[in-house]
Amino acid sequence: MQERYEPAAVERAAQDYWNTHASFVAREDSGRQKFYCLSMFPYPSGRLHMGHVRNYAIGDALARYMRMQGLNVLQPMGWDAFGLPAENAAIANGVPPARWTRENIAYMKNQLQALGFGLDWSRELATCDPDYYCWNQWLFVRMRERGIAYKKTGVVNWDPVDKTVLANEQVIDGHGWRTGALIEKREIPMYYLRITAYAAELLDALQGLTEWPERVRTMQANWIGRSEGCDVTFPYAQDTLAVLGGAAHDANRGMKVFTTRVDTLFGVTFMAISAEHPLATAASAGNPALAAFVEECRRGSTMEADVATVEKRGQNTGLHVRHPLTGEPVEIWVANYVLMSYGEGAVMGVPAHDDRDFEFARRHQIPMRVVVQPAGVEVGLGDEWAPALSATGVSVNSGEFSGLASAAATAAIAAALEQRGLGAKRVQWRLRDWGISRQRYWGCPIPLIHCERCGEVPVPDADLPVRLPEDLLPDGSGNPLAKCEAFVRCTCPSCGQGARRETDTMDTFVDSSWYFLRFASSDQAGAPVDARAQYWLPVDQYIGGIEHAILHLLYSRFWTRVMRDMGLVELAEPFSKLLTQGMVLNQIYFRQPSGGRRVYFNPAEVLVQHDAAGKRIGASLQSDGQSVEYAGLGTMSKSKNNGVDPQTLVEKYGADTARLFMLFAAPPEQTLEWSDEGAQGQYRFLRRLWKAVYDHSVAGPLSQRAHWGPLQGAAARMRLLTHQTLKRVGDDIARRRVFNTAIAAVMELLNAVARYEEPGELGRAVRHEALETAVMCLSPMVPHVCHVLWFCLGHERALIDEAWPQPDPLALIQETVELVVQVNGKLRARVRVAAGADEASARSAALEDSTVRRFVGETAPRRVIYVPGKLVNIVV
RNA sequence: GCGAAAGUGGCGGAACUGGUAGACGCGCUGGCCUUAGGAGCCAGUGGGGCAACCCGUGAGAGUUCGAGUCUCUUCUUUCGCACCA
């Protein structure tokens, strides 16, 4: 063993060993309990970033720990390889997305391997490979057959200059990112997946996901958004019928809305419809002011956050509906806050009992009518009314329903509506069907053919996959597939005549909605999954960013159920246990020349000045010594120039230090702040560990393995700490899934070993056990250095193949324990008592203490609280 | 706007089930060693006070023998909002 810790050599040796022994190639074995550990696969953006390192360090630590517990572990890796950045890179550099993506994959695979993650590369997949997306297409055709996939129109962001559909990300403040043109909303036909058919099941099953973070379950439940309410039809008045003409689809019925507060029906003073509502278009015909407003609403982005924060504006159509119970005319307004994509594209306006309607009515001087009197609130319609808006109470001004409590009024009014055929109780979901059509090149082609005679025809299974041509170059103006005649021209599978291929591709969320199933049988050429999925699934531990808490996880839960209903898999829930990892942040530094734009400097180039107490007092740029401004913490990004390349870190300190820092600096679920000094500190720790093992092992092998009898003094304390550490680390990893405290525990153990100076063979044996335990406990987190140190400690077998040891109960026995003594809840003393001391002896021990006596005084305690083994609280 | 979370020393964090606030690490201070290094070792480090002690977990209230932890109000920050992945 050499004295110096040299990470490069250590890591090469360990990785060579794992590779030659195929340590991480997983095989199905029905006789062994499996553990499927999955970290979300990366988008191949070019280089690994710190978020990846963190994600995979967590997953690998868990996988290695479970492997040492004797489980049959599968930890695969793949590439979420379709997506917009490849097209952006193509526009910027003129490189076809396929080449760019594949080069990135090759580079990043090298980086992952250098970090020494225990991955089964034999199952590697990339979603841009026809072997994979073939099954997206096959599954899509099956879903279309079953009515899960269907076609309807949807709203997209349209850039009128580039004449192209933009992603939300490409819309900046309502303008196109490249052209700067004002974005318009445009309706186009698209394919949707009927996720709403599974809404109830997806919601109910959340209760069974007890190993998911509570907040993720809450967010999903709110997203699915079950609400009980009532459909209400407001019959059209004569003026509206005249505008709609006889052709309108529901002209003879009326305007349908959904409400959760039908008890406020008598408070309706207006109706609000979306600018995209058919009636809005019809009413615009002879009304220039309205037409201008509808036109204005068509501009701007489709994002809900934008729509919801926009100033609530509206325009009266001058048309009316009739109140379903009173027959009174009600004005119809077009309002910019009503979404066509949610519900019916129309809402009833009850200003006195809804926040948004209240604001809208005030702005447009629409009358308000109070119809619910909450208990103990003055009726008034000024600002003071705001807290009462959504309250329930007793119905007033509601005809025959006045005097009923809100719940009773809801039931009675719904019944009255139903009797007239103008309404019915219904459950409404916030969840909308999933639009999967994208007018983009770098994605999975939707396998459809448009034939003039036969209409829309799916591509027959035998002709799948529809291969995406890989040599096209997007230029920012529309989908290059649409201009590729070689792709578009085809023959109709049904009539044999010339036809045109669909050029829309699928949302990349489709790709990631079932990749975890494919890993179980990635070499299966005849089906998307096979019987091996039954062995490996569900994923026992899924790890990924909190930003995926809703969409990706919900789509995957939906997709798995669809495959279940097709008989392809038996499970419904793909992920048993979920860990949502926090983001990686770094400091942001900049200078702002007067009148100029901010120039950002990478924190690595910045020198921070401290005062004598260690407080940060300023920062300057290393190169010129002039000061720079500190702008706080932010996620690592190019625009803020605060990224840290993991490659540099690995080259400087090695993979083990990179992993150790990521696991030590924060618990997995919290955000993590990058710190160069922190990483150095972890490197220092690994060096100390190395030195400790070196100093111990140069003295030669142990003369004999110890037979542990009862020990005394320092040796007993050392063994106690050793086995306490083993217990703590196991609990931290297996139960709590936290690594920072596990690592801290080993640091404490190593600090104690350094202070433990007992000479002789007994001392050496105790020290040996402590060091062995430290190496064992750290090995899931820093596997390379531990692999080598394990051999240095005299073992023949590789550490990865060792079984995780049990703590020795004998070493954990303590004869006395320290009790905290409080007087009136304030800490006053500590006393040692026998381990199993009863209340009487604990109490008398506490009262013997001089400080305690001083605070208790001469009077008898009013009450004494005793928590065995922990504390005595004397109340006086 | 709606939904979800988080606020603890100079900094990252620990305190898991209501029971010792600040483990572990970084930074900083002093010292030692030295073929001088961004190395290693030792000691100190929440604030106040000579001390006994007192004060301290974003702010404000409450429950309790006891609150960082539970309840309510409030402020700030972060994440998601359906075409970024």
Side-chain angles (χ1 to χ4, degrees):
Chain A
M1 182 182 184
Q2 64 172 44
E3 191 172 357
R4 254 178 79 89
Y5 167 49
E6 281 169 17
V10 164
E11 286 164 18
R12 205 176 316 115
Q15 287 169 16
D16 282 350
Y17 180 91
W18 301 324
N19 289 338
T20 47
H21 292 79
S23 298
F24 302 111
V25 176
R27 284 185 194 84
E28 296 73 26
D29 179 350
S30 57
R32 287 175 69 202
Q33 196 190 338
K34 60 91 185 180
F35 186 81
Y36 185 177
C37 183
L38 184 66
S39 294
M40 290 181 185
F41 63 169
Y43 177 79
S45 56
R47 326 194 88 200
L48 242 41
H49 56 66
M50 284 296 175
H52 293 131
V53 177
R54 187 177 193 196
N55 198 159
Y56 305 137
I58 294 166
D60 197 38
L62 218 51
R64 285 173 183 265
Y65 173 81
M66 292 301 176
R67 197 194 134 109
M68 292 173 86
Q69 292 290 324
L71 300 183
N72 189 21
V73 170
L74 167 61
Q75 196 189 18
M77 184 50 71
W79 308 94
D80 188 12
F82 276 136
L84 205 50
E87 299 195 35
N88 295 342
I91 296 167
N93 314 316
V95 183
R99 208 182 98 199
W100 184 82
T101 302
R102 295 221 160 77
E103 283 172 6
N104 288 348
I105 288 176
Y107 186 85
M108 290 169 75
K109 184 174 178 180
N110 260 322
Q111 289 190 296
L112 287 176
Q113 288 174 331
L115 280 157
F117 298 124
L119 298 164
D120 180 356
W121 286 104
S122 72
R123 294 166 189 262
E124 180 182 4
L125 61 82
T127 57
C128 64
D129 288 342
D131 291 350
Y132 183 81
Y133 68 68
C134 170
W135 300 109
N136 282 356
Q137 296 176 345
W138 186 87
L139 287 162
F140 173 82
V141 174
R142 298 290 87 76
M143 289 188 201
R144 193 171 168 279
E145 290 162 0
R146 295 171 158 257
I148 298 286
Y150 69 97
K151 200 174 188 177
K152 70 167 182 183
T153 59
V155 184
V156 294
N157 302 306
W158 178 256
D159 184 324
V161 174
D162 261 351
K163 300 202 186 318
T164 188
V165 176
L166 296 185
N168 282 340
E169 193 191 46
Q170 298 170 313
V171 179
I172 298 151
D173 294 330
H175 297 262
W177 66 322
R178 280 159 48 81
T179 62
L182 198 57
I183 293 307
E184 297 169 8
K185 297 185 182 87
R186 180 169 277 212
E187 289 204 32
I188 57 166
M190 304 207 294
Y191 261 91
Y192 284 82
L193 302 186
R194 214 179 289 279
I195 190 173
T196 51
Y198 289 81
E201 191 190 340
L202 287 168
L203 180 68
D204 294 344
L206 283 174
Q207 293 185 341
L209 295 177
T210 52
E211 309 258 32
W212 279 37
E214 189 62 45
R215 63 165 159 162
V216 175
R217 291 194 284 160
T218 310
M219 281 193 270
Q220 290 219 350
N222 290 338
W223 186 263
I224 296 168
R226 182 180 196 277
S227 53
E228 284 178 15
C230 195
D231 278 327
V232 184
T233 303
F234 287 72
Y236 289 129
Q238 278 307 317
D239 54 359
T240 308
L241 286 172
V243 166
L244 281 171
H249 61 292
D250 56 355
N252 52 350
R253 298 279 300 140
M255 184 178 290
K256 208 169 149 193
V257 299
F258 175 83
T259 176
T260 55
R261 288 296 304 273
V262 77
D263 60 310
T264 65
L265 188 63
F266 285 80
V268 172
T269 54
F270 70 100
M271 301 296 283
I273 62 173
S274 157
E276 285 110 51
H277 195 281
L279 181 57
T281 319
S284 300
N287 186 339
L290 184 64
F293 181 69
V294 167
E295 185 53 34
E296 196 188 315
C297 289
R298 276 187 205 284
R299 289 196 283 271
S301 92
T302 59
M303 277 177 274
E304 187 166 328
D306 291 348
V307 176
T309 46
V310 85
E311 202 185 0
K312 283 167 196 49
R313 300 179 48 223
Q315 185 83 32
N316 196 342
T317 61
L319 303 177
H320 298 81
V321 291
R322 285 187 291 109
H323 191 282
L325 296 183
T326 66
E328 274 177 50
V330 181
E331 285 178 342
I332 303 170
W333 288 67
V334 174
N336 62 353
Y337 65 89
V338 180
L339 298 171
M340 194 60 211
S341 51
Y342 185 48
E344 309 289 340
V347 296
M348 63 184 212
V350 187
H353 301 287
D354 180 274
D355 295 305
R356 284 195 310 188
D357 296 347
F358 184 68
E359 197 186 320
F360 187 82
R362 272 193 165 187
R363 188 184 173 88
H364 297 286
Q365 282 94 48
I366 296 172
M368 305 189 193
R369 191 182 302 154
V370 173
V371 293
V372 175
Q373 175 60 61
V377 181
E378 283 284 307
V379 173
L381 289 167
D383 289 327
E384 77 287 351
W385 182 246
L389 280 169
S390 56
T392 53
V394 175
S395 286
V396 292
N397 301 323
S398 297
E400 56 184 293
F401 307 100
S402 296
L404 293 176
S406 292
T410 302
I413 294 175
L417 287 168
E418 194 153 6
Q419 204 179 11
R420 277 161 229 232
L422 291 175
K425 277 191 159 179
R426 184 164 69 83
V427 170
Q428 164 86 348
W429 304 91
R430 205 190 75 97
L431 182 68
R432 307 199 293 260
D433 278 338
W434 173 16
I436 59 156
S437 297
R438 297 290 180 271
Q439 298 68 46
R440 259 185 272 295
Y441 161 52
W442 191 234
C444 169
I446 295 179
L448 292 172
I449 288 168
H450 302 282
C451 170
E452 286 192 4
R453 284 206 237 167
C454 313
E456 201 174 80
V457 184
V459 175
D461 290 357
D463 296 344
L464 294 180
V466 175
R467 282 176 182 271
L468 185 70
E470 296 205 346
D471 51 353
L472 303 187
L473 207 54
D475 60 4
S477 64
N479 182 353
L481 267 188
K483 301 171 204 157
C484 176
E485 278 298 302
F487 177 79
V488 173
R489 286 234 303 255
C490 62
T491 53
C492 171
S494 143
C495 70
Q497 299 289 303
R500 298 186 72 76
R501 209 177 273 291
E502 171 65 52
T503 58
D504 278 2
T505 54
M506 295 183 199
D507 180 5
T508 55
F509 272 123
V510 167
D511 307 322
S512 55
S513 287
W514 70 285
Y515 75 107
F516 42 87
L517 291 165
R518 185 68 185 167
F519 276 134
S521 40
S522 59
D523 57 357
Q524 173 56 260
V529 289
D530 61 27
R532 287 173 285 177
Q534 198 52 37
Y535 175 71
W536 289 115
L537 274 290
V539 172
D540 295 279
Q541 176 72 62
Y542 196 34
I543 306 140
I546 182 66
E547 65 276 17
H548 295 292
I550 296 175
L551 290 179
H552 163 60
L553 292 170
L554 193 63
Y555 290 151
S556 298
R557 297 179 62 221
F558 159 65
W559 195 281
T560 304
R561 283 174 165 79
V562 171
M563 287 181 71
R564 173 202 63 190
D565 291 346
M566 290 177 186
L568 293 167
V569 294
E570 285 177 29
L571 75 158
E573 285 299 340
F575 314 119
S576 303
K577 198 163 186 149
L578 176 69
L579 193 156
T580 48
Q581 140 219 348
M583 309 236 149
V584 182
L585 311 180
N586 199 4
Q587 286 139 10
I588 302 168
Y589 292 99
F590 70 96
R591 276 183 195 154
Q592 188 155 23
S594 55
R597 299 181 65 173
R598 282 187 175 187
V599 183
Y600 290 94
F601 298 98
N602 196 285
E605 298 157 12
V606 170
L607 222 57
V608 177
Q609 284 97 37
H610 303 269
D611 68 5
K615 194 189 280 188
R616 177 207 298 267
I617 48 171
S620 61
L621 199 62
Q622 261 169 7
S623 56
D624 62 12
Q626 303 296 303
S627 73
V628 291
E629 303 283 319
Y630 176 57
L633 294 170
T635 51
M636 291 189 178
S637 73
K638 265 187 197 144
S639 62
K640 297 281 159 62
N641 189 14
N642 66 339
V644 178
D645 191 346
Q647 199 67 23
T648 327
L649 183 62
V650 171
E651 280 159 17
K652 201 165 165 191
Y653 303 115
D656 281 333
T657 296
R659 297 165 57 133
L660 188 60
F661 174 74
M662 284 305 184
L663 295 172
F664 180 70
E669 312 236 79
Q670 282 181 36
T671 57
L672 180 149
E673 188 186 333
W674 170 256
S675 151
D676 210 47
E677 294 79 18
Q680 260 179 59
Q682 299 315 299
Y683 183 58
R684 217 159 24 227
F685 170 69
L686 291 182
R687 249 183 348 214
R688 277 204 309 131
L689 175 72
W690 183 277
K691 186 74 175 7
V693 172
Y694 174 83
D695 289 345
H696 174 75
S697 64
V698 283
L702 286 182
S703 58
Q704 58 182 56
R705 299 290 298 185
H707 297 284
W708 303 111
L711 299 178
Q712 298 299 319
R717 286 195 298 275
M718 188 70 245
R719 275 210 89 209
L720 172 66
L721 185 65
T722 297
H723 289 269
Q724 277 175 338
T725 304
L726 186 57
K727 207 172 143 191
R728 245 177 97 181
V729 169
D731 188 56
D732 279 353
I733 299 178
R735 181 177 63 86
R736 300 177 61 206
R737 304 272 143 105
V738 289
F739 305 94
N740 55 331
T741 49
I743 294 164
V746 180
M747 286 174 169
E748 283 183 72
L749 178 63
L750 202 66
N751 289 344
V753 171
R755 282 191 300 269
Y756 177 66
E757 283 171 333
E758 189 136 326
E761 274 305 291
L762 176 71
R764 279 203 76 207
V766 169
R767 199 173 298 115
H768 190 88
E769 189 192 33
L771 288 171
E772 242 177 30
T773 304
V775 169
M776 172 66 73
C777 286
L778 287 173
S779 70
M781 297 162 284
V782 283
H784 306 90
V785 66
C786 293
H787 171 88
V788 171
L789 289 177
W790 191 249
F791 290 127
C792 296
L793 284 166
H795 293 273
E796 303 282 317
R797 192 146 53 133
L799 181 50
I800 188 67
D801 296 319
E802 296 280 3
W804 194 270
Q806 290 294 319
D808 179 359
L810 210 67
L812 292 171
I813 294 169
Q814 290 178 78
E815 282 171 4
T816 61
V817 292
E818 191 180 72
L819 284 187
V820 163
V821 184
Q822 296 180 334
V823 179
N824 290 335
K826 278 191 189 291
L827 173 69
R828 295 303 175 192
R830 298 155 207 273
V831 294
R832 282 209 85 86
V833 297
D838 60 8
E839 176 159 359
S841 48
R843 178 180 175 146
S844 58
L847 286 168
E848 268 167 35
D849 185 275
S850 58
T851 314
V852 174
R853 270 214 302 270
R854 189 147 48 82
F855 280 93
V856 171
E858 294 309 313
T859 54
R862 211 150 45 98
R863 196 177 157 189
V864 175
I865 288 131
Y866 175 50
V867 183
K870 278 201 163 164
L871 68 70
V872 178
N873 186 14
I874 299 161
V875 186
V876 292

